[in-house]
Amino acid sequence: MAARGHVQDPNDRRLRPIYDYLDNGNNKMAIQQADKLLKKHKDLYCAKVLKAIGLQRTGKQDEAFSLAQEVSTLEPTDDNSLQALTILYREMHRPELVTKLYEAAVKKVPLSEEYHSHLFMAYARVGEYKKMQQAGMALYKIVPKNPYYFWSVMSLVMQAISAQDEKLAQTMFLPLAERMVEKMVKEEKIEAEAEVQLYFIILERLGKCVEALEVIRGPLGEKLTSELQSRENKCMMLYQRLQRWPECNALSHKILVKNPDDWQFYLSYFESLFQLLDQSWSPPEEGDHCAEGPVHHAVAEAVSFVEERVQGEDAKESRPLRGPYLARLELIHRLRERGCSQEAQLGEPMELMVQYFERFGDKPCCITDLKIYLHLLAPDEHIQYINRLGEAVPLGEAGEEGFAFPGDTKALQRHLCVCQLSRALGLHHALDKDAKLRLITELKAHYHHGLQFDKGTVKTELQFSDMYCLMAAHVYIDLWIETGDENMVWLGLGLLQEGLTHSGSNAQFKLLMLLVFCRLGAFEPVVDLYTSLDAKHVQHDTIGYLLTRYAQSLGQFAAASQSYNFSLRFFHSNQKDTSEYIIQAYKYGAFEKIPEFIALRSRLNQSLHFAQVRTERMLLDLFLEADIVSSLDESVKAMGVSPEEDDIPWDSMRDNRDLTVLTSWDPKDRALTEEHRALSMEEESTWLRIRSLTLRLLSAIALLGKAPAPRNSAKVAENGVGDKTPVVRSLLNQLDQTLETAAQIADKHTAYPFLGPPSTRLVGALSCGSCQCQAAALQLSVQLQELENAGLDDSSELQTQICNCFKSLVVQLQEILNKCKGEVLEMKESRLKTRPSQLENLVFFVETVCVVLLVTSYCANVLRPLKTNLQKKKKKKKDTSTALPVVVCGFQELTGSLQDLLTQAQEHIKGQENSIQALKMAGLSLDGPSQVEVSFATAAMDKVQSSYLRSLLEIGELLKKRADTLKSFKI
């Protein structure tokens, strides 16, 4: 409640206890105190609003809203009531009501600067840019301050950005904004840097780059002081946009002479140089080359310029800068790309890279600097290069195991860099199994030796030798993938767990463990690992996929629901938070940030992960609760799903996943490529479309069950529920087409790098038959609707078709269940073997059963009244035959078969639980290099076993609940 203003008023003293109760979370006492106060002071509006806040926070939203509206209609103008109502409406997620409050207040108190500014900010919260423009000008007329005038200008720019019609933005909004700023420029009223920034934004969006250049290089540009090299950066951007390559080159050259370490200007220097070469540009015979000074337009000039920068660093007594040395490698790379022979003038790449290592090998950034230029080495130079680097690493005498260790952290960093470069060149991958095991032993020895350098450091600090541990784990994973020996992965997990005991904050250890546990089919340990990462804000979108991809597919339904809600909380708060950022940007004149905040909001709203989490959460709720906790109709209504409306922005959907979040030193041929990214996005989108269509079809079935028979058209019109059959048919057609696309994707058999994007559930769902069975079940709803329209008398052929569908569903479900049979965890040659695909198949079976049972429930709802009507007709005709209609007999067979299937599945799950319990009782043995490592690895195995047990338990519980609902499907 800190937002309220201080008012010197007796009422403030009376309201103070209510404020305190609300601040302390004691909402019931706040309501009681407000009631007491209102008995004595009936017209104390603020007390009513504070009571409404208490009601809102205790879950009585309707009462709170009616009380707030009661006060709002009186159009209060006291600051306490207005502030309290603002807080209440924001908590109700109704910011549009705040605008009405302040519109009324401004009418009553037209000269109040405070109320006008509150009205402007209220419009900003709801994105009413036109009204913001008007409110800003009204405010400027009352109090002629520059910020208010430029609030209005910025609101015009926002109208241009948000306009659907680009022509309107370019011909009306932006020119008007430009004229408004030009008026202030002519009157010499421009005061602040933010105002110049805004002028620049307008000119840039209008494409007036020449005019923008004049502003930046003129007296107004002198106000741009908050950022280093702000003017130069803006000039460079405009020169590039105008393709003024001479100016680009000269400006880059000028800045690099002053600051030889500014990497972005090296890139613009090289780009402009080669553009000038391609254009055969030559300087004018008289006068300056260009407005920015001399221009380099020949390769020889660039070579000598870079060499001069390097010589300047060599001559320094202080630590040299990295920029010139990297610029030399970059120039070689670009010259080689163009087939220029002058690259030889710069020297041999291997020699230059060895020299670079000698100078900067003790910096952690050395590996990332050199990795991007490794392609300059010939394949037969790789081993020679690593040997040369090894000679530059000062190591002590070799110990008993034959390994020599560094004496200090700088030497350790050099040795680590050599190991990282060896892996990046593919030398680790080329080793045989024994050599890899020896490499692991060496890396672990260096890791344990390096721990001595971190004694006495804070626990949250990373250890100097952590990367040795991570690299050893990578080699263990290589062995696991290549040989299929799960002992390797257990030892790798054990090593990472040991690493976490020394370096508890190492995110890379946690991320790799998280990934490995998921690939082993164990989700339970992942929850704590992800929580300990303490992901912040946008990271829920960029790395959230690591958590949400596996939760549901591995049968951990409670954890899945929790993780979906966790992600959704961030996405839903984004809308509100972004409005607050925009308001702050207006207040402090950070106009250039406002479009960035709008773009962030848009990026998150269009996020693939957001769409996935939203869809999966609703499907999971249906599987867990529909026809168990509440009816399908009630569940769908609570979710607000509409079968007609597709709220996923397919055309503008963005893949915001950070697919390189895990550290990788893999060579180029094993690394993640752009093709992998595109294929992953295609696969994710297709799977999402299947899930979204399934959800919409289930919601349509809920409405079909609720809708009256089409023959009663008056009733249809009255309820507003039309015939949903065309919608269902359309959705089923879309599902069929999507499944065809999915089959084509599955046939590609795309294999992603281990550290790259995880595969979707699509391939598994198709191979076990889950998608096909769900589609067949959903298709049945159309035939049932036709039966409902036709009745049981004249529909024998349709009834036979429906019965055949019933039998087909049972056969398909049996086939899926057969694919689930087999051990999920087993001992093979005294080694623990995980079979996560079996667990995933079990989940597919459960999900498919849920869909089939929801359709079966709808079927029972259709057949029940039809059977009753038939019996009534027989009574009238005095027909004594007891023969049941074909479809009713078929339905009874279906429910019996489904009951048998569920019993089989429950028995299988019980058997799996018993066998895992037996494994746990017997204890697990593991061969390892040391007892410490074996104990860590065994702990990892125990976690996997516990996780599998947990998954089986949750799957079994859901099947039991579904089996209980099946008993109620009697007609």
Side-chain angles (χ1 to χ4, degrees):
M1 302 301 294
R4 66 180 184 273
H6 182 69
V7 180
Q8 293 297 331
D9 190 295
N11 287 334
D12 196 37
R13 179 177 49 79
R14 294 175 187 136
L15 296 167
R16 174 72 55 194
I18 311 174
Y19 281 126
D20 291 339
Y21 284 131
L22 288 171
D23 283 343
N24 296 326
N26 196 342
N27 299 311
K28 286 185 179 176
M29 283 301 294
I31 294 166
Q32 287 176 21
Q33 190 70 26
D35 282 333
K36 280 184 194 173
L37 193 55
L38 286 167
K39 281 179 185 174
K40 294 179 185 175
H41 306 275
K42 289 181 182 178
D43 296 330
L44 192 51
Y45 301 151
C46 189
K48 284 187 181 180
V49 182
L50 294 177
K51 180 186 175 182
I53 291 173
L55 290 167
Q56 166 72 14
R57 291 177 183 177
T58 49
K60 296 173 182 174
Q61 284 89 349
D62 293 340
E63 283 182 60
F65 186 67
S66 61
L67 202 56
Q69 289 301 88
E70 189 184 315
V71 177
S72 292
T73 50
L74 298 169
E75 298 182 349
T77 54
D78 66 293
D79 195 41
N80 275 351
S81 298
L82 289 169
Q83 291 281 12
L85 277 167
T86 301
I87 290 166
L88 176 61
Y89 287 144
R90 279 169 67 186
E91 286 185 15
M92 288 178 164
H93 306 294
R94 298 289 302 274
E96 71 281 0
L97 296 176
V98 180
T99 62
K100 291 175 183 172
L101 268 183
Y102 281 103
E103 280 169 1
V106 160
K107 279 179 188 172
K108 287 189 173 181
V109 192
L111 297 178
S112 169
E113 180 184 0
E114 185 184 355
Y115 289 172
H116 271 90
S117 62
H118 279 307
L119 177 61
F120 181 89
M121 296 308 172
Y123 286 141
R125 279 197 183 89
V126 293
E128 290 269 13
Y129 302 124
K130 187 170 184 180
K131 289 184 177 176
M132 285 165 69
Q133 178 204 342
Q134 293 163 351
M137 283 313 292
L139 193 50
Y140 181 68
K141 283 171 186 172
I142 297 165
V143 188
K145 291 180 183 175
N146 266 24
Y148 298 149
Y149 185 86
F150 283 92
W151 282 7
S152 184
V153 175
M154 186 64 212
S155 302
L156 266 171
V157 175
M158 291 312 298
Q159 285 179 70
I161 291 170
S162 59
Q164 299 292 323
D165 184 359
E166 181 62 24
K167 192 178 176 184
L168 193 67
Q170 291 293 323
T171 57
M172 189 172 89
F173 297 128
L174 290 171
L176 178 56
E178 184 189 10
R179 285 198 298 275
M180 286 179 73
V181 181
E182 280 174 352
K183 178 177 177 287
M184 297 296 270
V185 172
K186 282 172 188 170
E187 293 173 9
E188 296 184 356
K189 288 184 179 177
I190 298 286
E191 296 169 357
E193 179 182 358
E195 294 157 17
V196 181
Q197 288 275 20
L198 182 52
Y199 192 18
F200 177 77
I201 290 168
I202 294 164
L203 292 171
E204 189 190 1
R205 287 189 174 273
L206 279 167
K208 294 187 174 183
C209 296
V210 176
E211 291 86 342
L213 255 177
E214 287 170 6
V215 170
I216 299 302
R217 297 182 66 187
L220 287 178
E222 291 170 12
K223 294 184 185 292
L224 300 172
T225 54
S226 64
E227 288 179 29
L228 200 64
Q229 293 184 173
S230 177
R231 292 177 84 179
E232 289 84 351
N233 289 333
K234 282 182 167 56
C235 282
M236 179 59 73
M237 183 187 75
L238 292 168
Y239 287 144
Q240 286 174 334
R241 198 169 286 181
L242 290 165
Q243 297 191 350
R244 289 190 182 177
W245 303 117
E247 283 86 351
C248 272
N249 186 277
L251 179 59
S252 304
H253 171 262
K254 193 161 61 179
I255 287 170
L256 288 170
V257 169
K258 288 182 195 170
N259 180 9
D261 207 35
D262 199 324
W263 185 247
Q264 63 172 339
F265 284 99
Y266 276 115
L267 297 179
S268 56
Y269 174 75
F270 292 140
E271 186 191 356
S272 59
L273 169 76
F274 292 119
Q275 288 285 354
L276 291 170
L277 282 170
D278 291 341
Q279 293 172 10
S280 304
W281 183 88
S282 58
E285 291 180 10
E286 292 179 9
D288 294 336
H289 288 189
C290 71
E292 292 290 350
V295 177
H296 289 175
H297 59 97
V299 172
E301 287 178 301
V303 169
S304 61
F305 174 68
V306 170
E307 287 294 354
E308 282 168 21
R309 304 283 74 71
V310 171
Q311 286 162 15
E313 294 305 309
D314 287 343
K316 279 167 66 174
E317 291 182 12
S318 58
R319 182 102 192 205
L321 301 169
R322 291 154 46 225
Y325 300 95
L326 286 172
R328 186 162 56 179
L329 291 170
E330 178 67 22
L331 185 53
I332 291 173
H333 158 66
R334 291 189 181 222
L335 289 169
R336 187 173 289 187
E337 265 189 338
R338 294 170 65 89
C340 293
S341 57
Q342 290 102 319
E343 69 160 283
Q345 295 172 21
L346 290 157
E348 280 295 317
M350 186 166 80
E351 286 300 324
L352 298 177
M353 288 163 80
V354 169
Q355 288 170 24
Y356 188 87
F357 177 80
E358 287 169 352
R359 284 186 177 84
F360 305 107
D362 57 355
K363 285 177 174 278
C365 59
C366 186
I367 172 64
T368 49
D369 289 345
L370 288 177
K371 191 179 175 186
I372 53 177
Y373 297 112
L374 290 177
H375 66 279
L376 297 175
L377 299 173
D380 57 357
E381 290 181 323
H382 290 179
I383 294 172
Q384 184 191 350
Y385 175 60
I386 294 300
N387 290 340
R388 289 278 304 278
L389 296 188
E391 291 165 12
V393 180
L395 297 176
E397 293 295 318
E400 293 175 15
E401 293 182 335
F403 304 132
F405 299 110
D408 57 31
T409 54
K410 289 193 173 184
L412 181 150
Q413 190 58 54
R414 284 182 178 277
H415 182 264
L416 179 59
C417 187
V418 175
C419 295
Q420 291 168 325
L421 287 167
S422 300
R423 187 163 177 83
L425 286 166
L427 302 183
H428 288 183
H429 302 85
L431 300 172
D432 61 20
K433 184 180 176 180
D434 292 336
K436 278 181 180 162
L437 288 170
R438 177 156 175 79
L439 172 64
I440 289 169
T441 306
E442 182 182 354
L443 290 170
K444 286 194 294 192
H446 275 277
Y447 170 61
H448 291 123
H449 174 266
L451 291 174
Q452 65 179 299
F453 299 123
D454 291 280
K455 284 177 182 172
T457 55
V458 185
K459 280 188 177 181
T460 51
E461 290 286 326
L462 302 185
Q463 306 288 312
F464 284 108
S465 60
D466 275 356
M467 287 303 181
Y468 286 120
C469 178
L470 188 65
M471 198 179 299
H474 280 195
V475 182
Y476 269 131
I477 289 166
D478 291 344
L479 284 167
W480 172 43
I481 293 167
E482 287 163 19
T483 64
D485 181 0
E486 286 205 4
N487 257 20
M488 295 297 108
V489 80
W490 299 127
L491 290 168
L493 277 172
L495 180 60
L496 289 168
Q497 187 60 58
E498 183 187 351
L500 276 180
T501 59
H502 297 293
S503 190
S505 299
N506 193 310
Q508 287 300 325
F509 289 171
K510 294 172 185 177
L511 286 166
L512 189 55
M513 286 180 78
L514 185 151
L515 184 63
V516 173
F517 274 127
C518 285
R519 296 288 172 96
L520 289 170
F523 190 77
E524 199 173 45
V526 165
V527 179
D528 289 338
L529 281 169
Y530 187 83
T531 305
S532 69
L533 281 169
D534 196 19
K536 294 282 193 296
H537 199 258
V538 81
Q539 286 178 317
H540 293 303
D541 187 27
T542 56
I543 65 171
Y545 71 95
L546 292 167
L547 185 71
T548 54
R549 156 64 183 88
Y550 292 100
Q552 186 172 334
S553 65
L554 296 175
Q556 303 258 337
F557 302 127
S561 188
Q562 199 176 355
S563 61
Y564 293 152
N565 289 337
F566 197 59
S567 284
L568 284 172
R569 264 200 304 275
F570 158 68
F571 284 111
H572 291 316
S573 66
N574 157 55
Q575 201 75 15
K576 185 181 71 172
D577 292 347
T578 310
S579 298
E580 296 307 312
Y581 305 151
I582 291 167
I583 285 167
Q584 293 306 314
Y586 269 108
K587 278 184 181 173
Y588 296 105
F591 297 125
E592 76 278 8
K593 295 295 173 196
I594 295 171
E596 290 177 28
F597 292 137
I598 300 290
L600 173 67
R601 180 163 65 192
S602 172
R603 179 181 176 142
L604 292 174
N605 287 340
Q606 294 165 2
S607 164
L608 165 73
H609 183 59
F610 180 31
Q612 286 173 325
V613 170
R614 204 169 65 229
T615 305
E616 292 293 347
R617 210 285 302 273
M618 289 192 279
L619 270 176
L620 181 62
D621 285 353
L622 287 184
F623 296 154
L624 294 178
E625 295 175 7
D627 290 343
I628 297 174
V629 177
S630 56
S631 69
L632 176 61
D633 173 41
E634 288 169 348
S635 299
V636 167
K637 189 179 175 185
M639 291 173 189
V641 184
S642 169
E644 294 95 339
E645 292 174 22
D646 188 355
D647 60 353
I648 296 173
W650 297 105
D651 295 333
S652 57
M653 195 154 61
R654 298 182 58 124
D655 185 1
N656 297 333
R657 295 174 299 165
D658 182 355
L659 300 178
T660 55
V661 66
L662 286 106
T663 297
S664 169
W665 303 282
D666 289 341
K668 206 169 184 180
D669 60 326
R670 290 171 177 258
L672 185 71
T673 63
E674 286 305 313
E675 187 185 2
H676 284 137
R677 288 176 185 272
L679 287 168
S680 174
M681 180 62 178
E682 183 189 11
E683 191 181 324
E684 294 283 357
S685 301
T686 306
W687 177 244
L688 173 60
R689 203 178 282 273
I690 291 171
R691 301 293 274 181
S692 172
L693 287 167
T694 304
L695 175 65
R696 288 167 67 197
L697 278 161
L698 287 172
S699 69
I701 287 169
L703 294 172
L704 282 175
K706 178 183 169 187
R711 283 167 290 186
N712 191 349
S713 56
K715 190 83 173 171
V716 171
E718 183 189 323
N719 289 349
V721 181
D723 182 10
K724 296 288 174 190
T725 314
V727 176
V728 175
R729 285 185 193 279
S730 168
L731 292 173
L732 285 167
N733 286 336
Q734 290 177 53
L735 183 59
D736 287 341
Q737 289 167 12
T738 309
L739 288 175
E740 284 175 22
T741 308
Q744 291 166 9
I745 291 170
D747 290 341
K748 290 179 185 174
H749 303 292
T750 306
Y752 301 107
F754 184 83
L755 300 175
S759 296
T760 65
R761 301 174 67 198
L762 186 143
V763 175
L766 288 173
S767 62
C768 77
S770 170
C771 281
Q772 297 88 327
C773 186
Q774 288 184 31
L778 294 165
Q779 187 80 44
L780 193 57
S781 61
V782 175
Q783 293 169 307
L784 289 166
Q785 187 72 3
E786 288 172 8
L787 182 68
E788 188 175 20
N789 296 341
L792 293 176
D793 295 332
D794 309 312
S795 57
S796 57
E797 191 179 330
L798 181 59
Q799 289 183 47
T800 308
Q801 285 175 12
I802 291 171
C803 288
N804 289 337
C805 289
F806 289 161
K807 288 171 187 172
S808 173
L809 284 178
V810 173
V811 170
Q812 288 180 67
L813 278 172
Q814 184 67 61
E815 284 174 3
I816 299 171
L817 183 57
N818 291 343
K819 286 174 183 170
C820 303
K821 289 182 178 174
E823 300 294 323
V824 290
L825 273 181
E826 60 180 342
M827 289 298 286
K828 219 172 188 179
E829 298 169 2
S830 72
R831 293 184 176 185
L832 184 66
K833 181 82 178 164
T834 59
R835 296 179 68 192
S837 60
Q838 290 296 94
L839 197 57
E840 291 205 37
N841 282 347
L842 257 177
V843 175
F844 282 131
F845 173 75
V846 173
E847 289 184 358
T848 311
V849 161
C850 289
V851 171
V852 170
L853 289 182
L854 290 171
V855 175
T856 308
S857 170
Y858 167 62
C859 186
N861 294 340
V862 169
L863 292 178
R864 214 171 278 127
L866 289 175
K867 186 187 171 190
T868 307
N869 289 342
L870 187 69
Q871 286 171 339
K872 284 178 183 175
K873 284 179 185 177
K874 281 186 177 181
K875 277 184 184 176
K876 281 181 185 176
K877 293 178 183 178
K878 297 185 179 176
D879 187 347
T880 55
S881 65
T882 55
L884 288 170
V886 175
V887 72
V888 174
C889 295
F891 181 78
Q892 288 173 345
E893 283 178 32
L894 172 69
T895 53
S897 302
L898 288 174
Q899 197 71 58
D900 292 343
L901 272 170
L902 291 177
T903 306
Q904 273 185 60
Q906 286 173 288
E907 285 171 0
H908 169 63
I909 288 166
K910 198 70 193 163
Q912 289 298 300
E913 286 178 16
N914 292 338
S915 63
I916 293 175
Q917 289 287 12
L919 277 176
K920 282 179 85 76
M921 295 291 285
L924 296 163
S925 60
L926 186 69
D927 299 328
S930 71
Q931 193 54 46
V932 174
E933 288 180 48
V934 168
S935 66
F936 279 120
T938 308
M941 293 162 87
D942 286 340
K943 285 178 181 176
V944 170
Q945 286 177 306
S946 299
S947 179
Y948 269 74
L949 267 178
R950 178 82 195 160
S951 295
L952 290 168
L953 182 70
E954 290 200 32
I955 292 168
E957 282 177 359
L958 181 52
L959 280 175
K960 185 176 180 300
K961 286 176 184 174
R962 284 292 164 198
D964 291 342
T965 63
L966 189 55
K967 292 169 188 171
S968 65
F969 297 168
K970 289 178 182 172
I971 55 172

